[in-house]
Amino acid sequence: MKVKKMKDSRLSTIILHNVLIGVLAFIWLIPIVWLLCTSFSAYTGMNSKTFFPEKWSIQGYVSLFHPDTVAQFPQWFINTFIVACATCVISTMFVLMVAYATSIMRFPMRKPLMNMAVILNLFPGMLAMIAVYFVLKTFNLTNSYAGLIMVYSASSGLGYLIAKGFFDTVPRALCEAARIDGCSEARIFFQMVIPMSRPIVVYTVINSFLAPWMDFVFAKMILNAGVSSKYTVAIGLYKMLDKQLLNDYFTQFCAGGVLVSIPISILFIIMQKFYVEGITGGAVKG
Amino acid sequence: MANQTKGGAAEAIGGFFKAIGGFFSGFGTAVAKGDLFVKLSLLWWGAGYARRKQYIKAVIMTALEAAVILFTIFFAMDYVPKFGSLGTVKAEKVFNPDTMKSEFNNYDHSFKILLFSLFSFVVWFAAIIVWMKNMMNVYKLQQMDEAGEHINTFEEDLKTYVGEKFHITLLTLPVLGVIVFTLIPILLLVFVAFTNYDQNHMPPSQLFSWVGFTNFITLFGGGGLTSTFGYAFVRVLGWTLVWAFFSTLTTYIGGILLSLLLNSKKTRAPKFWRFLFVVTIAVPQFVSLLLVRNFFADNGIVNTICDNIHLTGFLKDIGLVGTNYIPFLSAPGWAHVMIIIINIWVGVPYQMLIATGVLMNIPSDQLESAKVDGAKPFQIFRKITMPYMLFITGPALVTDFVKNVNNFNVIYLLTQDVYTTTDQAMANSQAQEVDLLVTWLFRLTQDYYNYKMASVIGIIVFIICAVFTLVAFNFMIKGDKEGTYQ
Amino acid sequence: MRKKLISMLLCATMVATVFTGCGSSDDTDDKASSGTSEQKDSGDKDASGSIKLTLWGAEGDQDFLKDIVSKFESTYSDQKFDISIGVESESSAKDTVLTDIEAAADVYSFASDQISDLVRAGALANLDDVSEVLTKANKKLDDVKSANVPDSIEAATVDGKMYAFPTSGANTYFLYYDKSKISEKDAANWDTLLAAAKKSGKKVGMTLNSGWYLASFFYGAGFTTGLNADGTTTMDWNGTSPDGIKGTDVVKSMLDIASNPAFMAVTDGKLSDTLKSGSCSAIISGTWDAGLASEVWGKNYAAIKLPTFTVGDKQVQMHPAYGYKLEAVNAYSENMGWAVLLAEFIANEESQTKHFELAEQVPTNVKALEVDAIKKNIAVAAATSQADFGVIQEVGGKYWDPAKTFGEMIAKGKLKAKDDAGIQKALDNLVAGVTAALD
């Protein structure tokens, strides 16, 4: 009798439990669903009367691929992709390099350098923006992707902590053994530690790849020649929300948002496992 | 994060001074005891290496020395002498109709003077270190030579950079990147806080100059009767701290609860559920937040719905709203709460991912024994899960707080162009009730070119973050339970 | 110890070489340019001798500008050009330009209320200094001055010096209304206007939380704003106007209007949205909404000057801010001469006529204004009918935020019509904020 009762309550709590998650997921997805619906609206402006568009259409997507002077989505996508790839390579390298040096190796400047990094991380990045702009201008790198890539990746070494935390979990004895066998540090780095740290590499790659897709502040500042075909996706879409343009481009904005999110979501699905392991491997020991 | 900062503070400072002392004494010894060529290296950097037949090194060091000298003569000297005044010659131009171009005088550009002087200082600082270090190296070579030890060939030297000196190979580029793109910009703006760089003193047409601590006095309530900066600063600072506290706390707890919910054995298809939440991270913030903002706009969908179900009317009757709509993002109070709630929406999935990983690593024996002892789920959560989470992610919590103090995106995207303050004293300082210090300083630079005040605010933000970090880590050392979970 | 020092050495070396590398190349640039006075990037110099110019214009003007640029190139066919066109709306030109004047376009369009800030920052070329170059276009600066409406020249002039070419006018706001709901007589003053709107079950929309719209009530009552040489603003709204109207009474009238259920305070920038939503039978906006208004109301679409409002027992005409769009030449343009010629070309009679045809921009050129199509245009007629009492708004940067907040306070009902002291205090705060020294 008693056993049976327990089973009953179990079943009902399981249902309740899953319904609760469902409700939460529903709340979380409302804006995303709205984004998706609005992107299929036949009306170009913002609809604030109903949740679902009154008339459905794929016009938003169609016009997105027929560039005019404002919207040059395919071009933006290519631009951002190039910037993102370059940023991704450089940032990942920098982060892993710094993380390895500070985690596996021991040298006298290690602590002071790490303390410097902590201090530098406390300054608001927004503030340095104007100065960064002038530094780039000095090197004649404004309005160029090289400049943008540098902004995204040059200081990436400062974000080494999570990767360092992960490397800290690599058994020290393994490295020592390799050293005794006469392995150079470079070989230990490339052939031992990196292959053992797939999750954190993936985590770093995703994170640095995403930055150019999300950032609109720095990009707006650096690509300031007003030439639409040179924009990244983020500024291109952001400019569509200009007062004069909003009414004609809101649906395209939503469509663009959806198109950007799709590859990122896929990236997340594939990498989810690594991502979680990478984050936590680093955060746990951090 | 925790490890180096914890023991860090005092130890690092002590170690730092010791290192500096050692450096100088090493240099002194080298100068005093070195032979002729070592002493000659004071003037000609390559001398010592040339004497020990390390010719390539000698050439490199000579070239480096030449580069520094050339840099000083042809670049630094154009700017550094003007550092004290930040320039005196204003731009003037004459149009030449024959060439169809304007001809400018050789005018001073205050910002460039500041920036390039700073560049020069950094280069000189590095050069001095190189110079001193170089002395010690050649002295060491002399000693090795005298002792008859093997002196590395250039090739052997190179090899050490993938061996015991591999960290140099690794760190050079990242550190250089940080110096140029973070350190110098930050130093530059620290300097700007002591100048009058604002709308009335904008290069290239005008010059700015040093003003000492005037800007700091303005911020703390000085600066004349009309200035409301002091008032606005206190209000903005208050909200910044409240925001940082609540946004960190809510997303942290929300993330843990959500991950407990998802990782419970009762959950069916946890991967699917988790993916649904992660999708919200995948949509770029400037898209999702701008959407949410329109969602809650004064004439947005939520208001339309609330109006239809007569919620607006009800709230109006009980006096919570005075308008025909619910001012979700356009009235103080409402906006503050809404921003924190929306931030939960943004931040929880991310925290959930972190918590998921941490919870997977909870020592299962503890959980098992607790269950055997008949502990209720809530007790397990309070006595085991939570302390464990706190122990593991405590340092990350501190970093999150600092990140939230500087959380530009959420506030800017949700309030820019939508929120209008009705507090005249705030408006007179271009601030709003929902501004964080960072969004305020952003607006000051973008719309009002008030770089000097923005820099002052930036320094204050830094001080707040630094103090908080120090206090938090000190607190953690006291409550350190290291070993409990190992 | 040794390792540490070597690490520092290497870092320092890298830093030193990188900086010296950049330093020396910069240096040669400097030396080369000090003679020719070019402050722009070396990338702008072109060996082939073609003139490189950048041109910024509003989003909607891109096709127009492309057309004009090709005409410009064929007019001066003996010179090769490389002209790139970028997007920058007139209303935000100042913000972008002042962030980095040297990086801004050689020629760009801006709204006339930004001129004082731009001039003080030294961003605009003084046209009197470069007027000689106009002989290439067979003109003198005086010809330009006489060809355009005097007010537009005044708007382009600061301290007696002309800084920009007027391209279009009537940058102002007036009343659009639905003829089937509101008669022309109703539209003459706020009381009848609101009553008529109420009867039709619709609203009258106006933006209050913007210094541009808000000022029309005060200007109407005879109050002024002004600009000092140091960039600070003068304002007398907290006193009594030369017309004998007290500032507090103006605010009370505004509160009276704003509290009317038929009035809708529209957030700045949302006028087009509101118009499109169809909830208004009258709305105060500018020529840019003409197309939309005629689309929404069809044959009932009408436009007229701003209404009068009641102060005590008097009817007071609102005086809108009346601005122009101007074509600027960057003071730091590398090819100053050609930039001036291009700007003048964009502002000439033919271009202005074309601009009206393509984008309904009201010309400032006296001859271009004589075209029938312009005279018949309902919105333009309403806009230009206000030219006589429209005010060229002269304010500094400190005006906008406090004014915006003041408008919001009225729109949100934060002030009470009976609370004279409260209104006076709010006005005093407003004046204090607006007239504060720049910092």
Side-chain angles (χ1 to χ4, degrees):
Chain A
M1 185 69 203
K2 206 182 170 190
V3 173
K4 205 185 170 197
K5 202 180 162 195
M6 256 184 82
K7 233 182 187 171
D8 272 357
S9 74
R10 248 214 193 140
L11 190 70
S12 62
T13 50
I14 284 176
I15 293 172
L16 212 69
H17 184 94
N18 282 286
V19 167
L20 178 63
I21 295 177
V23 169
L24 283 177
F26 178 73
I27 294 173
W28 248 261
L29 285 179
I30 291 174
I32 309 295
V33 172
W34 194 54
L35 170 70
L36 207 62
C37 291
T38 314
S39 72
F40 284 105
S41 166
Y43 174 58
T44 57
M46 203 190 320
N47 164 23
S48 54
K49 279 187 198 148
T50 52
F51 186 87
F52 294 104
E54 283 156 351
K55 245 172 92 186
W56 300 81
S57 143
I58 55 163
Q59 193 52 43
Y61 291 89
V62 173
S63 20
L64 212 49
F65 285 96
H66 289 86
D68 56 19
T69 48
V70 184
Q72 314 209 3
F73 190 77
Q75 185 63 45
W76 298 341
F77 204 93
I78 295 169
N79 297 344
T80 319
F81 190 75
I82 295 169
V83 173
C85 286
T87 306
C88 178
V89 171
I90 300 175
S91 296
T92 310
M93 269 170 45
F94 276 17
V95 169
L96 294 178
M97 279 154 70
V98 176
Y100 181 87
T102 50
S103 167
I104 311 280
M105 300 189 73
R106 289 291 176 271
F107 53 95
M109 281 303 283
R110 186 173 156 267
K111 279 252 162 112
L113 278 180
M114 278 164 45
N115 286 331
M116 265 315 271
V118 171
I119 293 170
L120 287 180
N121 270 330
L122 295 178
F123 273 99
M126 256 340 119
L127 180 62
M129 190 172 74
I130 315 131
V132 168
Y133 172 79
F134 279 98
V135 170
L136 281 177
K137 202 183 158 201
T138 311
F139 298 140
N140 207 357
L141 285 171
T142 49
N143 282 309
S144 73
Y145 298 135
L148 208 53
I149 292 165
M150 278 188 165
V151 168
Y152 291 137
S153 57
S155 298
S156 59
L158 282 178
Y160 71 101
L161 276 173
I162 288 185
K164 174 186 177 289
F166 197 94
F167 284 161
D168 285 343
T169 63
V170 173
R172 208 41 48 88
L174 269 178
C175 301
E176 286 306 323
R179 279 188 196 123
I180 291 164
D181 286 351
C183 272
S184 69
E185 286 286 342
R187 274 192 65 186
I188 300 178
F189 177 53
F190 286 114
Q191 297 185 352
M192 264 185 57
V193 177
I194 298 277
M196 282 172 69
S197 315
R198 272 243 303 272
I200 198 63
V201 175
V202 171
Y203 169 78
T204 318
V205 165
I206 295 184
N207 261 5
S208 46
F209 186 79
L210 290 188
W213 300 92
M214 312 274 193
D215 165 74
F216 63 98
V217 181
F218 275 90
K220 216 168 117 196
M221 180 114 196
I222 287 157
L223 304 176
N224 64 354
V227 183
S228 171
S229 60
K230 287 203 160 179
Y231 288 165
T232 63
V233 169
I235 0 172
L237 291 180
Y238 192 75
K239 293 229 168 181
M240 283 185 180
L241 295 175
D242 198 273
K243 279 177 204 169
Q244 287 96 358
L245 303 178
L246 185 77
N247 271 316
D248 296 326
Y249 288 95
F250 189 72
T251 305
Q252 281 192 49
F253 169 82
C254 292
V258 170
L259 289 185
V260 173
S261 313
I262 289 173
I264 301 178
S265 305
I266 294 173
L267 212 64
F268 264 107
I269 301 176
I270 301 171
M271 309 291 195
Q272 207 183 29
K273 187 172 142 256
F274 292 122
Y275 196 84
V276 170
E277 279 175 27
I279 273 187
T280 47
V284 169
K285 291 287 173 168
Chain B
M1 173 88 201
N3 298 340
Q4 71 273 10
T5 326
K6 271 188 212 165
E11 192 188 308
I13 292 168
F16 184 66
F17 282 110
K18 228 164 92 187
I20 290 182
F23 190 73
F24 275 98
S25 77
F27 174 71
T29 320
V31 174
K33 295 193 180 162
D35 62 9
L36 179 65
F37 279 90
V38 172
K39 288 201 168 85
L40 190 59
S41 296
L42 280 174
L43 289 177
W44 172 33
W45 294 4
Y49 298 112
R51 170 73 181 75
R52 313 297 164 203
K53 295 187 177 149
Q54 289 193 323
Y55 296 117
I56 299 180
K57 256 191 177 172
V59 170
I60 292 176
M61 288 314 291
T62 312
L64 192 58
E65 183 180 4
V68 172
I69 291 170
L70 286 176
F71 165 82
T72 306
I73 295 173
F74 290 110
F75 182 78
M77 278 306 137
D78 285 348
Y79 299 101
V80 177
K82 297 172 189 159
F83 185 68
S85 63
L86 292 177
T88 48
V89 187
K90 272 199 173 189
E92 277 166 29
K93 63 175 186 295
V94 182
F95 182 68
N96 183 339
D98 298 332
T99 59
M100 304 271 288
K101 288 174 195 284
S102 309
E103 288 169 5
F104 282 88
N105 60 340
N106 194 5
Y107 64 91
D108 291 332
H109 189 297
S110 297
F111 195 85
K112 279 189 183 163
I113 292 173
L114 194 59
L115 176 66
F116 293 145
S117 298
L118 205 60
F119 260 145
S120 307
F121 295 150
V122 172
V123 172
W124 286 340
F125 179 74
I128 288 172
I129 305 260
V130 171
W131 174 67
M132 291 171 70
K133 179 72 192 69
N134 185 50
M135 286 306 291
M136 285 181 253
N137 277 350
V138 291
Y139 179 58
K140 182 114 189 256
L141 280 177
Q142 181 197 336
Q143 285 176 317
M144 285 165 73
D145 197 24
E146 282 160 5
E149 285 171 35
H150 169 70
I151 291 177
N152 276 353
T153 63
F154 187 65
E155 218 171 298
E156 286 167 331
D157 268 339
L158 278 186
K159 261 193 187 150
T160 59
Y161 287 102
V162 292
E164 75 245 37
K165 288 187 210 156
F166 189 50
H167 59 274
I168 296 173
T169 322
L170 289 178
L171 287 176
T172 305
L173 276 177
V175 168
L176 195 65
V178 171
I179 289 177
V180 176
F181 282 91
T182 305
L183 184 68
I184 288 184
I186 285 173
L187 287 178
L188 187 75
L189 286 150
V190 170
F191 280 125
V192 167
F194 298 95
T195 67
N196 58 356
Y197 184 13
D198 60 20
Q199 200 173 354
N200 276 343
H201 304 88
M202 284 221 296
S205 300
Q206 279 130 1
L207 304 163
F208 59 80
S209 57
W210 300 108
V211 296
F213 282 92
T214 316
N215 303 327
F216 289 86
I217 296 167
T218 310
L219 186 69
F220 292 114
L225 286 173
T226 52
S227 175
T228 52
F229 258 103
Y231 170 81
F233 173 70
V234 173
R235 294 286 304 269
V236 174
L237 175 66
W239 163 237
T240 304
L241 293 177
V242 168
W243 148 262
F245 177 75
F246 279 107
S247 59
T248 311
L249 194 75
T250 48
T251 52
Y252 183 71
I253 292 180
I256 294 175
L257 291 180
L258 186 60
S259 84
L260 282 176
L261 209 57
L262 287 180
N263 293 315
S264 155
K265 287 191 184 106
K266 295 174 200 156
T267 310
R268 299 287 170 263
K271 277 198 176 157
F272 168 73
W273 291 123
R274 197 195 292 161
F275 169 70
L276 287 187
F277 286 101
V278 169
V279 166
T280 53
I281 309 182
V283 181
Q285 278 192 355
F286 73 90
V287 175
S288 61
L289 287 178
L290 285 172
L291 273 183
V292 173
R293 164 176 121 185
N294 288 322
F295 219 57
F296 288 105
D298 290 346
N299 52 358
I301 291 178
V302 179
N303 257 309
T304 311
I305 295 173
C306 286
D307 201 28
N308 288 343
I309 62 170
H310 304 296
L311 182 65
T312 313
F314 170 72
L315 288 174
K316 211 176 169 185
D317 289 341
I318 61 170
L320 268 178
V321 292
T323 39
N324 289 324
Y325 50 83
I326 304 177
F328 287 113
L329 286 169
S330 57
W334 279 97
H336 290 138
V337 174
M338 278 311 290
I339 287 171
I340 289 178
I341 290 177
I342 293 171
N343 184 63
I344 293 178
W345 181 80
V346 174
V348 161
Y350 189 76
Q351 290 289 344
M352 181 267 292
L353 280 184
I354 295 179
T356 302
V358 178
L359 290 175
M360 287 194 300
N361 294 335
I362 276 197
S364 50
D365 48 337
Q366 288 195 21
L367 289 177
E368 289 305 321
S369 60
K371 270 183 196 157
V372 170
D373 291 348
K376 296 232 170 63
F378 179 71
Q379 282 177 321
I380 296 179
F381 174 74
R382 205 168 60 92
K383 290 276 165 65
I384 299 177
T385 316
M386 219 37 222
Y388 180 81
M389 278 297 298
L390 269 179
F391 167 72
I392 298 294
T393 53
L397 209 51
V398 177
T399 357
D400 278 352
F401 183 88
V402 171
K403 265 189 203 145
N404 276 325
V405 168
N406 292 324
N407 196 334
F408 175 81
N409 267 7
V410 172
I411 303 285
Y412 182 83
L413 290 173
L414 284 179
T415 63
Q416 179 69 7
D417 298 330
V418 189
Y419 190 91
T420 306
T421 175
T422 51
D423 184 334
Q424 289 185 304
M426 297 280 271
N428 291 355
S429 301
Q430 295 92 40
Q432 294 176 342
E433 289 97 339
V434 288
D435 267 337
L436 299 184
L437 288 168
V438 273
T439 53
W440 187 26
L441 82 81
F442 183 77
R443 179 142 6 88
L444 283 176
T445 59
Q446 293 299 297
D447 300 350
Y448 298 92
Y449 318 100
N450 197 344
Y451 296 109
K452 56 175 195 190
M453 290 313 283
S455 299
V456 172
I457 295 171
I459 291 175
I460 305 279
V461 172
F462 167 71
I463 293 174
I464 292 169
C465 294
V467 168
F468 175 79
T469 312
L470 270 179
V471 170
F473 279 128
N474 268 329
F475 183 73
M476 274 183 203
I477 295 169
K478 267 188 202 148
D480 200 352
K481 292 181 199 130
E482 204 152 323
T484 318
Y485 299 102
Q486 281 171 2
Chain C
M1 196 68 198
R2 184 154 187 267
K3 268 190 209 159
K4 164 176 143 192
L5 294 178
I6 286 180
S7 79
M8 281 196 85
L9 170 96
L10 202 96
C11 291
T13 315
M14 291 297 292
V15 174
T17 38
V18 166
F19 285 171
T20 35
C22 306
S24 47
S25 70
D26 255 41
D27 186 62
T28 45
D29 266 7
D30 274 8
K31 286 282 170 307
S33 60
S34 61
T36 54
S37 78
E38 290 153 0
Q39 291 297 320
K40 283 232 158 186
D41 306 326
S42 52
D44 279 7
K45 293 173 217 153
D46 202 312
S48 64
S50 79
I51 298 291
K52 224 176 155 169
L53 290 172
T54 46
L55 170 64
W56 282 349
E59 194 56 68
D61 289 343
Q62 293 292 306
D63 293 331
F64 161 71
L65 290 176
K66 262 180 212 155
D67 187 51
I68 293 294
V69 162
S70 65
K71 271 191 199 148
F72 176 75
E73 283 173 342
S74 58
T75 308
Y76 299 97
S77 53
D78 48 347
Q79 174 67 47
K80 267 201 279 178
F81 292 100
D82 175 9
I83 301 176
S84 56
I85 306 173
V87 179
E88 184 62 57
S89 89
E90 290 102 358
S91 56
S92 61
K94 182 195 86 177
D95 293 343
T96 313
V97 169
L98 292 194
T99 308
D100 184 0
I101 298 171
E102 291 159 304
D106 300 279
V107 178
Y108 54 87
S109 182
F110 68 97
S112 57
D113 59 61
Q114 300 163 8
I115 194 166
S116 62
D117 280 345
L118 286 169
V119 168
R120 259 183 327 110
L124 299 181
N126 181 344
L127 296 182
D128 295 297
D129 291 351
V130 296
S131 57
E132 248 176 286
V133 77
L134 289 177
T135 49
K136 278 211 175 217
N138 295 321
K139 278 182 189 167
K140 288 196 184 105
L141 195 58
D142 285 339
D143 296 339
V144 175
K145 286 180 184 170
S146 59
N148 289 287
V149 182
D151 273 355
S152 69
I153 298 297
E154 193 196 317
T157 307
V158 175
D159 292 338
K161 290 175 194 143
M162 188 164 156
Y163 282 98
F165 298 101
T167 53
S168 64
N171 194 14
T172 185
Y173 42 90
F174 45 88
L175 187 75
Y176 287 108
Y177 63 100
D178 180 347
K179 268 194 286 196
S180 65
K181 306 262 169 30
I182 292 166
S183 70
E184 194 176 328
K185 214 175 131 228
D186 289 337
N189 85 59
W190 271 104
D191 301 330
T192 49
L193 177 65
L194 288 167
K198 199 173 181 181
K199 220 166 66 187
S200 69
K202 301 230 167 182
K203 300 196 171 196
V204 181
M206 181 188 178
T207 296
L208 285 178
N209 64 348
S210 158
W212 201 54
Y213 294 96
L214 171 81
S216 55
F217 288 97
F218 288 93
Y219 289 153
F223 290 102
T224 56
T225 55
L227 197 61
N228 297 323
D230 63 352
T232 53
T233 311
T234 59
M235 185 191 241
D236 55 3
W237 299 4
N238 58 344
T240 306
S241 75
D243 300 359
I245 299 173
K246 279 202 285 187
T248 48
D249 290 338
V250 175
V251 177
K252 279 185 204 167
S253 311
M254 292 173 75
L255 286 169
D256 201 36
I257 292 168
S259 61
N260 190 311
F263 179 83
M264 183 196 246
V266 183
T267 312
D268 192 15
K270 292 278 181 195
L271 279 169
S272 307
D273 272 359
T274 313
L275 179 57
K276 207 164 183 175
S277 74
S279 52
C280 291
S281 56
I283 196 161
I284 291 178
S285 187
T287 48
W288 54 90
D289 272 335
L292 189 60
S294 68
E295 186 187 303
V296 172
W297 291 323
K299 61 179 177 19
N300 291 323
Y301 153 70
I304 194 172
K305 71 169 178 61
L306 291 177
T308 59
F309 63 102
T310 315
V311 178
D313 49 5
K314 266 192 292 186
Q315 284 297 313
V316 178
Q317 173 64 47
M318 292 168 80
H319 289 182
Y322 198 91
Y324 295 87
K325 283 179 186 164
L326 309 173
E327 202 69 21
V329 178
N330 190 330
Y332 291 83
S333 167
E334 194 194 332
N335 296 301
M336 175 66 84
W338 289 108
V340 172
L341 286 172
L342 176 60
E344 195 280 329
F345 195 86
I346 294 171
N348 71 17
E349 183 197 334
E350 196 191 339
S351 303
Q352 289 199 9
T353 310
K354 181 97 188 160
H355 203 177
F356 176 76
E357 286 164 13
L358 286 175
E360 296 206 358
Q361 295 285 340
V362 185
T364 55
N365 187 293
V366 182
K367 278 186 197 155
L369 269 170
E370 293 302 313
V371 182
D372 273 353
I374 294 174
K375 288 182 172 167
K376 280 185 194 150
N377 188 302
I378 295 174
V380 173
T384 46
S385 73
Q386 302 186 125
D388 293 339
F389 55 80
V391 178
I392 296 175
Q393 193 170 27
E394 287 196 326
V395 291
K398 281 261 175 176
Y399 168 76
W400 301 103
D401 266 0
K404 184 177 175 168
T405 288
F406 192 77
E408 181 82 358
M409 288 167 79
I410 291 175
K412 282 249 172 86
K414 295 275 171 190
L415 294 173
K416 298 282 167 276
K418 284 176 190 150
D419 180 13
D420 273 50
I423 295 173
Q424 185 62 46
K425 188 155 180 284
L427 276 170
D428 288 342
N429 283 340
L430 170 71
V431 171
V434 169
T435 57
L438 294 196
D439 47 23

